[in-house]
Amino acid sequence: MRDAGREEETKLRMDLIFCESHFNFIKMHLLSHFSDHIRQFGNIPMYSTEFGELVHKSQIKAGWRQSNKNDASRQIVQSYSRQHGMRMRLLNLESLRRCGADLSPDLVAQFDTTSTTIAPDICRRMLKGRRDDVSNMADFSRVLGVSLQIICRGLIRYSRHNLQPERRPPEDPEILESLPLELLTQLEIPVLSFQEMEI
Amino acid sequence: MSDQTHLTNFSGDKNALPVYIMLGNLPSGWRNSPTSMAVLLLALLLIPPKVLKSCKADQHLRQINADTLWDVFEHIFAPLQDPAHDGVPIDCAHGKVRSCFPILAMWIADHMENVALHGIKSNVCPRWEVPAVELGTNMKVYPVRDYAIYHHYDYENSIGETNQADMMPERLGIRLGQNVFYRLNQVWLPDLNKPDMLHTVYLELFKHMMDWIQGFLKKHGRLEAFDEVWKALPPYPGFLVPKKAYHEVMQWQGKEMRNLGRWSLGVLPVALCQPERAQLIPFKRALRCVRALGDFNMMAQYRSHTAETITYMEDYLDMFQKMKDIFLEFRVTKRKRVKIDQQ
């Protein structure tokens, strides 16, 4: 008897739950705009709100942290506009310099240290595969057309920076010259002067 | 673009509402990169103290808040008004001067932001006149909102020619005279509002879906199996491995929710394997529902579309809407559940 009552109760409860709940919330509806929006305006990631949160970080929150929390909004606005003005000016000057404008030597020196543009990739020459007429460094430099001095300098710098003392090759240029090439399996020496010629 | 943000994470309840501006005709990849300086802070508004719904004095305070917001935006948009009509000469990068017509083309914001700025209620769509009880139906038969007409009604009301209009705002879910964009020239208001993947899909629907799934699994006694598979996911480049079960995590970030959309579909079938006879159909429907939402999400992230991909997207959405009833019983909020229990 009691079981039947309970069963009925659960059934009633389930019915109530089904009546009361619905899917009518706003985010459900907003989905139906997506396809029309794509047809009309293009893809959706373009309008992402996600990067807005990034912008908050650099423009608002950094400014808030630098302020003295006293009439902060003014300080936040000022702090970012100062940064922005400075960066715009730097970019302008730099593009002027690239166009060949006459800038004061101080400024040019300043740019060389703080330049924001990325340095061009250094071109490298490679000896691919084994060749009969290349046995030591002297031949190597002759075949690649790179001066022996540059190679030696590069080698020594590399070994000083990266190798442990006991594994370093000798630093005397004459010994280096006669080293068999097989010792140096991966040798890439940036050649600036050569690169300019190529381009 | 605007978005309310917290200034501090720790002390004090400090909020601000920054308004940004950017150029719509920049390539999106460039515009959206934070280092490109394409986004400029246009205004930083203060947030008025929060007002509770109840008392009448607060109602007055709210009206003041809304009016202030309206005035501030009037001020912000003022320089856009005349150029949108008559054009303005602007120096271009190639050294020539062109006559440009700057127009407010979009307003990137989450839904609550749109609610505040368009002067609508929070369960109302800013584009279409959809009644609240039909929000979950995925029909596309509603008239587009025309804010100019609303304003007209408002005007008629104010000079005392009351007709059926006094019923309008209640039915349409709008607060009259509070749309900050209303006076802008050359702007079609419903189109300002843009779809927002982060807040609509990742933070909201995935969260709802996970709650439904948890309820569903609990009902069928598969929750433990689900958690086990969940934690045993192997790592993969570009894929964050969950360390805790879903219900053990306190808060989810947008990025995590996006990942979750990918793996939830993989985990669910394993947890639901070998169903009993009675469970066969519900399991199948639940899987199809989750799959449809996952697929829809993936399609929406496409960077370029063809007619075919859009049709796919619509089909997935239809499928999701059709199958979602399997989760209906888990839509109940706790408060409602208590109320039902009392009856």
Side-chain angles (χ1 to χ4, degrees), chain B residues 91-232:
Chain B
D91 294 329
C92 282
H94 53 54
K96 289 176 182 161
V97 179
R98 283 182 178 173
S99 170
C100 294
F101 295 81
I103 290 170
L104 183 70
M106 57 185 175
W107 196 266
I108 296 178
D110 58 18
H111 181 67
M112 289 318 287
E113 219 45 59
N114 282 323
V115 165
L117 298 179
H118 280 278
I120 51 178
K121 286 181 181 157
S122 61
N123 63 343
V124 152
C125 170
R127 286 173 94 94
W128 291 343
E129 298 175 351
V130 189
V133 286
E134 288 173 25
L135 282 174
T137 49
N138 194 28
M139 283 192 288
K140 294 186 171 180
V141 290
Y142 306 103
V144 177
R145 284 185 185 279
D146 190 346
Y147 290 91
I149 289 184
Y150 298 163
H151 205 77
H152 186 65
Y153 286 137
D154 188 29
Y155 177 71
E156 276 183 0
N157 264 355
S158 64
I159 57 172
E161 285 179 29
T162 42
N163 39 11
Q164 86 283 14
D166 52 355
M167 288 300 291
M168 288 290 284
E170 259 325 294
R171 192 167 65 75
L172 295 171
I174 50 167
R175 289 183 242 124
L176 283 172
Q178 292 186 9
N179 190 331
V180 297
F181 306 107
Y182 166 67
R183 277 172 203 267
L184 280 171
N185 287 328
Q186 315 269 354
V187 175
W188 177 235
L189 292 175
D191 278 350
L192 279 182
N193 163 261
K194 296 288 162 197
D196 169 15
M197 288 287 285
L198 174 70
H199 293 98
T200 324
V201 182
Y202 307 147
L203 292 183
E204 193 82 355
L205 276 176
F206 277 166
K207 196 160 158 267
H208 280 301
M209 190 190 72
M210 284 312 290
D211 290 344
W212 305 338
I213 290 178
Q214 301 279 316
F216 183 80
L217 289 165
K218 229 178 248 172
K219 184 184 167 194
H220 294 280
R222 297 289 176 115
L223 190 59
E224 273 163 34
F226 182 80
D227 285 346
E228 250 166 54
V229 184
W230 179 268
K231 281 191 248 182

Side-chain angles (χ1 to χ4, degrees), chain A residues 9 18 33 37 45 54 58 66 74 76 96 99 105 110 136 138 149 151 155 182:
Chain A
E9 203 175 84
F18 273 108
H33 290 298
H37 188 271
L54 281 173
S58 63
Q66 284 168 7
R74 194 172 293 275
I76 293 172
L96 273 179
C99 296
Q110 183 68 23
N136 58 20
Q149 267 183 338
I151 294 183
L155 253 184
E182 280 77 12

Side-chain angles (χ1 to χ4, degrees), chain A residues 85-103:
Chain A
M86 196 65 202
R87 272 177 74 187
M88 279 320 253
R89 200 165 172 79
L90 279 176
L91 280 180
N92 278 341
L93 281 173
E94 210 162 299
S95 67
L96 273 179
R97 186 175 78 137
R98 240 176 288 135
C99 296
D102 209 17
L103 299 178

Side-chain angles (χ1 to χ4, degrees), chain A residues 14-149:
Chain A
M14 282 318 276
D15 283 349
L16 265 174
I17 286 180
F18 273 108
C19 294
E20 285 278 314
S21 46
H22 57 86
F23 282 103
N24 295 325
F25 57 106
I26 180 69
K27 303 281 161 98
M28 208 71 175
H29 167 76
L30 288 179
L31 288 185
S32 56
H33 290 298
F34 277 35
S35 56
D36 285 337
H37 188 271
I38 291 174
R39 281 206 190 90
Q40 206 178 347
F41 297 106
N43 68 29
I44 290 173
M46 196 156 53
Y47 304 102
S48 156
T49 50
E50 224 157 319
F51 92 107
E53 321 276 330
L54 281 173
V55 177
H56 286 332
K57 223 195 233 163
S58 63
Q59 302 202 3
I60 310 286
K61 298 193 180 180
W64 163 259
R65 241 168 274 140
Q66 284 168 7
S67 74
N68 60 3
K69 276 79 176 171
N70 207 340
D71 191 12
S73 54
R74 194 172 293 275
Q75 291 181 45
I76 293 172
V77 174
Q78 278 173 354
S79 136
Y80 185 73
S81 54
R82 227 177 0 245
Q83 271 179 36
H84 183 259
M86 196 65 202
R87 272 177 74 187
M88 279 320 253
R89 200 165 172 79
L90 279 176
L91 280 180
N92 278 341
L93 281 173
E94 210 162 299
S95 67
L96 273 179
R97 186 175 78 137
R98 240 176 288 135
C99 296
D102 209 17
L103 299 178
S104 76
D106 294 359
L107 214 57
V108 175
Q110 183 68 23
F111 274 129
D112 288 338
T113 53
T114 61
S115 176
T116 47
T117 47
I118 306 149
D121 263 354
I122 298 162
C123 283
R124 290 159 203 277
R125 292 205 101 184
M126 233 188 216
L127 184 68
K128 281 183 181 160
R130 189 179 283 268
R131 280 174 65 152
D132 285 341
D133 55 344
V134 177
S135 60
N136 58 20
M137 291 294 290
D139 297 335
F140 179 69
S141 77
R142 199 192 62 238
V143 169
L144 288 187
V146 180
S147 100
L148 193 61
Q149 267 183 338

Side-chain angles (χ1 to χ4, degrees), chain B residues 229-272:
Chain B
V229 184
W230 179 268
K231 281 191 248 182
L233 284 172
Y236 187 79
F239 171 82
L240 274 142
V241 185
K243 293 199 181 67
K244 293 176 180 175
Y246 177 78
H247 53 89
E248 288 170 1
V249 178
M250 291 284 279
Q251 199 177 10
W252 289 84
Q253 286 179 355
K255 210 201 272 171
E256 293 168 328
M257 284 311 265
R258 188 168 41 195
N259 262 317
L260 181 147
R262 295 185 199 159
W263 72 61
S264 58
L265 182 62
V267 175
L268 197 59
V270 185
L272 296 185

